[in-house]
Structures are given as structure tokens and as C-alpha cells.
Amino acid sequence: MKIISSAKYHAKKIAIVEGLKKWSYQDLLDGSVHFAACLLETKEHLQGARIAFMVDPGFDYVKVEWAIWRAGGIAVPLCLTHPLPSLQYVLEDTAASIIVVSPQYQSILKGYASDNNKRLITTEETGTANQPLPVIEHSDPALILYTSGTTNKPKGVVLTHANLEAQMENLVDAWKWSADDHTLCVLPLHHVHGIVNVIGCSMLAGATCEFIPNFSAEKIFTLFLENRINVFMAVPTIYYKLITYWETLAATEQESLYASLKKFRLMVCGSAALPVSTMEKWERISGHTLLERYGMTEIGMAISNPYDGERRAGYVGIPLPNVEVRLVDEQYQDIPAGEQGEILVKGENVFKEYWRKPEETKKEFTTDGWFKTGDVAIKENDYYRIVGRSSVDIIKSGGYKISALEIEEVLRNHEWIKDCAVAGIPDDEWGELVVAAVEATDGFDASIINQWIRERMPAYKTPKRYLVLEALPRNAMGKVVKNDVKKLFI
Ligand code: MCA
Ligand code: AMP
């Protein structure tokens, strides 16, 4: 694993910072060897066993992730804010045999683990240092991440070590990461953006990655003012929230921030469309032109504005080196220049398969091996611009991908709801807001429904607005017309 050889090369450098605590790459190497021994017990190789982990961002997270890899397991990061049923879905779908938790999450999963015969261990446990570690092949699966799609339940995306290395190396080269960089991680660590772009790239480059436990505009600006951090990556909603907070500051504080932000080497935005207004405002307050890029759980990053050349507002840029991109029509034929088409992607960065879903995997690739992203783009003067998605059932809100069908499925279980249609509507802050139109029975109460669905789904997946209808708009085939549902809310 290149990330391990790079850590050995940078052994004395500071890898991780959490508040006043600091760890070197040597600490990470030692910590992950000990924890790998603990995972292995008497085994020589985990042989691709799925190891789920619910660990706070920081040293322990990276230690556990590397330990799973070094012991030959597949890492399955769990979302720290998901309710038990969502965690259970991932644990059951992957058939994870071991669950690793930060001590404070033990109580959430203890009952589940003992009822289901799973080994539950905390990050505090440790094994012996001299246990030999297995040889890890490039083609071995390394990570399973869950992503919502056009099916109602999320699918597990299997990424191999080769996929992850290709994704990281492409970005380290394209964005000129170096061992002198110091980044701040504020993103959740069950998605590619935080795992690969922030932690993976900084670790591969021998840079320093600083962590805060959760998003706080105030805390982020306080750290920026200390002039250590020079690389930052976030979703558009985060830049929007930072701008909103900046607007509440006194002029002197705004000036100090400008002076600190101006010194950054790189600021990147992605995971959802960056509104031109957000990009322009950020440039005014920081003196920085955000670098927007386009990616997906299944492929990592594919298209990026250039590090050195023009960063064009409203565009995601040009394909990264080593990533092939095509725009095609509905028959998967190349479209004429200047027309819109679905983005197809090929390269070592592209995932291996959906976990235990061979049919779904096959459906998402063309017969000659191109991955169908479902995103529609147009190429103008060599730069790609994302114009939409081929499925109205996929919503992107706060940088999270949300399946409208998954929420509808849950809503339909409530006795007050005869039928429903969930859609995303444009919103400056969140990108899209999740809304639901429902055919309701007497007694329907939106606030009770909201509470009810929150107990079953993470808060960000719950509809923010409901519209009570007698009948949903349908086409001649009796199917609900989602675009008409969206119009009802705008
Ligand atoms: C939260 N709230 C929302 C949403 N999310 N309201 C509307 N729409 C939403 N999407 C509400 C909550 O219900 C709550 O309301 C209030 O906002 C605060 O919620 P909280 O979760 O505390 O929000 P936050 O802490 O302010 O977090 C916002 C966030 C977070 C920092 C933007 O959503 C985030 O970290 N997003 C990043 C996701 C990400 O990394 N995606 C990358 C995946 P109330 O108070 O009423 O309860 S995509 C990817 O990896 C690909 C490969 C790529 O291209 O990068
Ligand atoms: P996920 O499956 O959570 O990894 O989300 C991937 C999806 O996010 C892509 O298929 C796009 O729809 C969207 N996305 C990522 N980056 C951008 C961007 N810069 N502009 C528009 N959409 C984006």
C-alpha cells in the first residue's frame, strides 16, 4: 500500500492534529499495527472480512482504517449521526463480522452486536506489535461506501486498493499536494469527499490533517486565523454557511480573515453544483477563486477545474489525467460537439462493483466497460458544465445524495398517507431541499409526520416541506409526474 510506504518515508512528520494533540506518521504506523493485531486475533489474514467502524474523525479514525487494510479486511465506515435502523441496514448488508466503535458509540450498538453475535470492540483495545501482517494485493477490496441511487435502498460501492490509490494519486498530482500542506477536515467520514480527497490525499502526500469534531463556522474561522491551514475542501453548503457567518462579523474581523484566507494555497468545492453567487462572494471575502470539481462515490473525482489555469465559474473543468470521459446519447453513442449528454467514465479510479449486486453492477456499465454516471453535461470551450441528472429520483442536499424513493417508501407506511411523491427543489443554502407531496387521509399532521420520519431516517433525509393533495399529478399511465410535483413547491 502506497499510503503505508509514504507514511514510513514521512515517519517523523506530524500527520494528525486534534486540538492540542498531535500524532506523527510513526504514531499512525504503530497504532495501526497494534490495532491490526487486535482485529486479527489468531488469524493470519482477515481475507476480506467486512469491518464496520463508527469512529470519531481524528487519529483513531485513520488508525482503525489503516489497521483494517493492513489486516486484510474491508473497511465499512458508519455514519455517526444515523439512527440504529440505518446502521443496521449497512451492518446486515455487508454482513460485517467486527464492529469497531469510539467508546461513546458503544451503547448504540452493544445490544445489536450481542443479539447478532458480532464482535464489538472499542478503539482503546490493542494487540501485540510483533504479529506478522498479511500481504495485501492491489486488486483486494478495501472500502465499501453506501450511496443512494435510483433504487430505494442504498447500495454498497466496493472500492479496491487500486481504485483508491488511483483516485488519490490523480488528485495529489493535479492539485499539487505536498508534505508542506496542512488541511482541515470538517467533512463526514463515510463518503469519498472526506475519506479520499481530504484524508487520503493529505496522508499520501505526507501532509498534516487537522480535525474538528463537527461543522462549526466559528471554529473553522478561528483555526483559519491561526495561519497554519493552507488547503481546504468542502461542499457548497459549507461555503454558504461560512459566508453567512462572515456577514455577521465586525469589519476588523473580516479584514483579519481576508489576510489569513488570502495565504491559502488551495480551496476546493464539490459534491454538488457550486452556485456562481457563492463562488463570487467567497472570492470577495477570501481573495480566492474556488476550484470546483466533479466526482461520485463510484468513481472518486473525474473532472476538475485546473490548478494553474482558468477556474471557470459554473463549470466543473476538464477530465483529470488518467480519467477518460465521454458524453453520450440514450443509446450510449457519442453526441455531436456542443450537445448535452450523459457522462460516461473509465479508468483505474472506477469502482469494482456494487456489493453483492451483480445485476445492478452490470446495468451501470456499458458493454464496453464505461461507467454510466447518470449525470448530464455539456462541453463548452473544452470545459464541462453539469446540466442535470438523468433521474428525478436523486436529490443532492447539503452535499448528500438522497433517494426520493427511499423516503417515499417510509412515508407510505404511515396510516395517514395514501400515496406520496418526494422531490428536490432548488435552494441557495442546501442546493436542493427535500419536499413531499402527499395524498393524505383526514387527520394528517405534517409536524407529527416529520417527527415520525426523523426517528426512522437521518434528519437531513426528512422532507422540509409537505404539500397535502387530494390526488397527485399523474400521467396517462397513472405514474406520478415528479416534475409537476416539483413545480407545486416553487
Ligand atoms: C441538515 N439540515 C437540513 C439539511 N441538512 N435542512 C435541509 N436540508 C438539508 N440537507 C437541518 C437539520 O435538519 C437541522 O435542522 C439543521 O439543518 C442543522 O443540521 P445539522 O446536521 O447539524 O447541520 P450542520 O451541522 O449545519 O451540517 C451541515 C453540513 C453537513 C455541514 C453542510 O450537511 C455536511 O457535512 N455535509 C457534507 C456532506 C458530504 O461530505 N458529502 C459528500 C458526499 P433542525 O435544527 O430543524 O433539526 S458526495 C461525495 O463524496 C462525492 C464523491 C463528491 O463529489 O464529493
Ligand atoms: P455521491 O453519490 O454522493 O458521491 O454523489 C455524486 C453526485 O454528486 C454526482 O453524481 C453529481 O450528481 C453530484 N456532484 C458532485 N460534484 C458535483 C459538482 N461539482 N457539480 C454538480 N454536481 C456534482
Side-chain angles (χ1 to χ4, degrees):
M1 272 181 283
K2 286 205 180 126
I3 209 154
I4 300 297
S5 9
S6 171
K8 288 179 181 162
Y9 181 78
H10 295 286
K12 292 205 177 106
K13 267 215 67 200
I14 297 299
I16 308 275
V17 176
E18 277 178 55
L20 296 175
K21 292 193 249 162
K22 293 184 173 132
W23 291 267
S24 67
Y25 278 96
Q26 189 61 53
D27 293 329
L28 263 181
L29 290 167
D30 296 343
S32 58
V33 169
H34 279 97
F35 206 76
C38 173
L39 294 172
L40 283 164
E41 292 181 298
T42 54
K43 295 186 204 73
E44 285 174 6
H45 196 308
L46 288 178
Q47 307 287 5
R50 275 74 57 209
I51 315 296
F53 62 117
M54 191 169 178
V55 176
D56 279 335
F59 174 75
D60 279 343
Y61 182 97
V62 185
K63 174 188 88 173
V64 171
E65 179 193 58
W66 287 15
I68 297 169
W69 289 341
R70 299 183 87 180
I74 307 180
V76 183
L78 297 174
C79 174
L80 304 181
T81 54
H82 276 181
L84 186 60
S86 305
L87 299 173
Q88 228 168 301
Y89 172 75
V90 172
L91 293 167
E92 274 155 29
D93 195 55
T94 54
S97 52
I98 307 178
I99 310 170
V100 183
V101 288
S102 299
Q104 69 270 30
Y105 302 120
Q106 208 171 0
S107 57
I108 301 177
L109 288 165
K110 208 172 171 177
Y112 170 82
S114 67
D115 292 349
N116 293 279
N117 233 348
K118 310 268 181 203
R119 193 175 153 216
L120 181 75
I121 49 179
T122 77
T123 48
E124 287 167 346
E125 292 187 37
T126 182
T128 59
N130 46 15
Q131 178 153 347
L133 294 177
V135 175
I136 309 303
E137 301 295 338
H138 221 48
S139 55
D140 287 345
L143 189 65
I144 301 182
L145 300 178
Y146 276 78
T147 185
S148 296
T150 45
T151 47
N152 60 6
K153 292 280 185 206
K155 293 177 282 199
V157 173
V158 180
L159 295 156
T160 63
H161 288 283
N163 297 148
L164 292 176
E165 274 181 23
Q167 293 180 6
M168 291 186 269
E169 281 184 326
N170 287 348
L171 294 186
V172 168
D173 288 350
W175 296 346
K176 304 204 168 150
W177 276 93
S178 87
D180 295 330
D181 284 327
H182 189 124
T183 193
L184 178 69
C185 181
V186 300
L187 294 167
L189 293 179
H190 60 297
H191 284 298
V192 161
H193 199 165
I195 300 172
V196 175
N197 298 21
V198 181
I199 304 188
C201 289
S202 54
M203 297 295 106
L204 188 65
T208 302
C209 187
E210 186 155 348
F211 289 86
I212 50 172
N214 43 37
F215 175 79
S216 149
E218 187 186 0
K219 181 79 189 150
I220 291 173
F221 279 150
T222 306
L223 291 173
F224 284 174
L225 282 168
E226 290 170 12
N227 297 320
R228 273 190 310 278
I229 294 155
N230 70 337
V231 175
F232 186 62
M233 305 199 180
V235 302
T237 304
I238 290 185
Y239 285 105
Y240 184 98
K241 283 173 178 280
L242 289 174
I243 292 168
T244 308
Y245 181 74
W246 179 90
E247 283 164 350
T248 66
L249 299 176
T252 49
E253 289 176 291
Q254 292 179 345
E255 278 161 30
S256 313
L257 263 169
Y258 184 89
S260 295
L261 292 170
K262 188 90 186 75
K263 292 187 214 138
F264 273 57
R265 184 180 73 73
L266 175 66
M267 289 182 169
V268 180
C269 186
S271 297
L274 169 63
V276 173
S277 58
T278 306
M279 184 166 173
E280 288 173 349
K281 274 191 197 152
W282 189 257
E283 191 151 5
R284 275 202 298 281
I285 73 169
S286 71
H288 251 274
T289 310
L290 289 174
L291 184 156
E292 184 177 4
R293 71 358 171 235
Y294 159 85
M296 195 173 177
T297 305
E298 287 88 336
I299 58 175
M301 299 305 110
I303 307 178
S304 166
N305 272 281
Y307 181 79
D308 287 316
E310 181 201 358
R311 297 178 191 171
R312 202 177 292 169
Y315 290 78
V316 292
I318 50 184
L320 283 161
N322 308 316
V323 180
E324 288 183 79
V325 172
R326 281 168 63 202
L327 294 184
V328 296
D329 62 19
E330 280 161 12
Q331 281 70 48
Y332 302 104
Q333 300 301 314
D334 290 312
I335 46 125
E339 285 187 18
Q340 298 182 4
E342 181 178 350
I343 305 176
L344 300 189
V345 177
K346 208 182 222 185
E348 189 80 279
N349 56 307
V350 177
F351 76 127
K352 178 181 158 74
E353 61 192 356
Y354 291 114
W355 175 250
R356 292 186 175 163
K357 286 190 169 46
E359 282 310 310
E360 308 239 0
T361 307
K362 204 169 146 205
K363 258 192 3 223
E364 299 305 325
F365 284 88
T366 62
T367 44
D368 51 352
W370 290 80
F371 174 66
K372 307 174 191 169
T373 63
D375 289 307
V376 179
I378 186 165
K379 195 169 149 189
E380 291 164 334
N381 299 323
D382 296 335
Y383 279 50
Y384 286 78
R385 182 161 63 86
I386 309 287
V387 293
R389 273 182 294 271
S390 54
S391 168
V392 72
D393 289 320
I394 293 174
I395 303 168
K396 260 269 154 153
S397 189
Y400 286 108
K401 197 183 213 182
I402 296 169
S403 162
L405 303 179
E406 190 184 354
I407 304 173
E408 287 165 10
E409 186 92 347
V410 176
L411 281 175
R412 280 196 202 99
N413 286 327
H414 198 284
E415 55 178 338
W416 288 342
I417 295 176
K418 287 192 270 185
D419 198 3
C420 63
V422 167
I425 56 164
D427 180 76
D428 284 348
E429 180 169 10
W430 297 102
E432 284 182 296
L433 276 186
V434 183
V435 296
V438 298
E439 271 184 51
T441 59
D442 288 345
F444 176 89
D445 182 328
S447 59
I448 293 180
I449 293 287
N450 235 322
Q451 190 52 40
W452 179 82
I453 197 170
R454 269 180 182 222
E455 285 154 16
R456 285 155 183 83
M457 278 191 173
Y460 60 82
K461 286 194 181 179
T462 62
K464 296 291 154 198
R465 279 166 68 194
Y466 287 93
L467 187 73
V468 184
L469 297 173
E470 281 182 7
L472 293 167
R474 291 174 197 275
N475 64 14
M477 314 287 288
K479 284 206 166 164
V480 173
V481 182
K482 284 272 177 89
N483 282 325
D484 289 349
V485 169
K486 284 166 89 149
K487 280 187 221 144
L488 291 170
F489 285 95
I490 297 173

